């Protein structure tokens, strides 16, 4: 499902994660829909529910593709010295929405890394 619906470069390893999340979201939406018609508005709303998750993994993948932004380079350097940073960066693979809170914004990254100075 995932790479057919939202294609991500394999650099970030998000295809299988997206597939699992997509299946879970679609299953929940189908069950909630009951006996109603599965029309185009329902399909679009269901995809939007998935995209609300997948947009984060897509942004992560795009960030990791060629030249790394300076703030992400600083994260990787800090991860080599601080296990907490490494663990948080790695956890973003399983939970890409958490990356908006710190990795994907240079100002939020700087504030987070400042706590390790």
């Amino acid at each position: 499902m995932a790479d057919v619906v939202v294609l991500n470069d394999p650099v970030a390893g998000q295809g299988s994660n997206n597939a699992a999340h997509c299946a879970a979201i679609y299953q929940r939406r189908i069950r909630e829909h009951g006996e109603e018609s599965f029309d185009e508005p329902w399909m679009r709303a269901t995809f939007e529910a998935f995209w609300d998750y997948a947009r984060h993994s897509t942004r992560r993948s795009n960030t990791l593709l060629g030249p790394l932004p300076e703030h992400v380079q600083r994260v990787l350097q800090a991860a080599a010295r601080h296990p907490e940073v490494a663990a948080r960066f790695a956890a973003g693979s399983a939970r890409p929405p958490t990356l908006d809170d710190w990795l994907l914004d240079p100002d939020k990254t700087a504030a987070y890394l400042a706590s390790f100075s």
Side-chain angles (χ1 to χ4, degrees):
M1 245 188 255
D3 281 343
V4 173
V5 177
V6 176
L7 180 61
N8 282 307
D9 189 280
V11 69
Q14 292 302 299
S16 59
N17 285 348
N18 281 346
H21 284 280
C22 186
I25 290 166
Y26 284 19
Q27 178 188 42
R28 177 178 46 80
R29 299 275 303 187
I30 289 167
R31 288 183 175 182
E32 290 171 353
H33 200 64
E35 299 299 319
E36 299 295 318
S37 173
F38 293 97
D39 55 9
E40 184 176 342
W42 179 87
M43 288 184 250
R44 288 186 182 280
T46 299
F47 172 77
E48 289 301 323
F50 168 61
W51 180 245
D52 190 50
Y53 170 84
R55 66 186 173 87
H56 301 286
S57 60
T58 298
R59 188 165 175 217
R60 177 180 189 261
S61 294
N62 291 340
T63 298
L64 296 177
L65 288 171
L68 284 177
E70 185 179 326
H71 70 283
V72 176
Q73 291 178 37
R74 287 194 310 271
V75 167
L76 296 176
Q77 291 165 353
R81 296 185 312 276
H82 302 285
E84 303 91 344
V85 177
R88 191 171 186 188
F89 182 80
S93 292
R95 294 181 306 282
T98 65
L99 298 174
D100 281 354
D101 296 337
W102 72 287
L103 179 69
L104 299 176
D105 178 280
D107 294 333
K108 291 177 182 178
T109 299
Y112 174 67
L113 293 179
S115 69
F116 291 93
S117 298

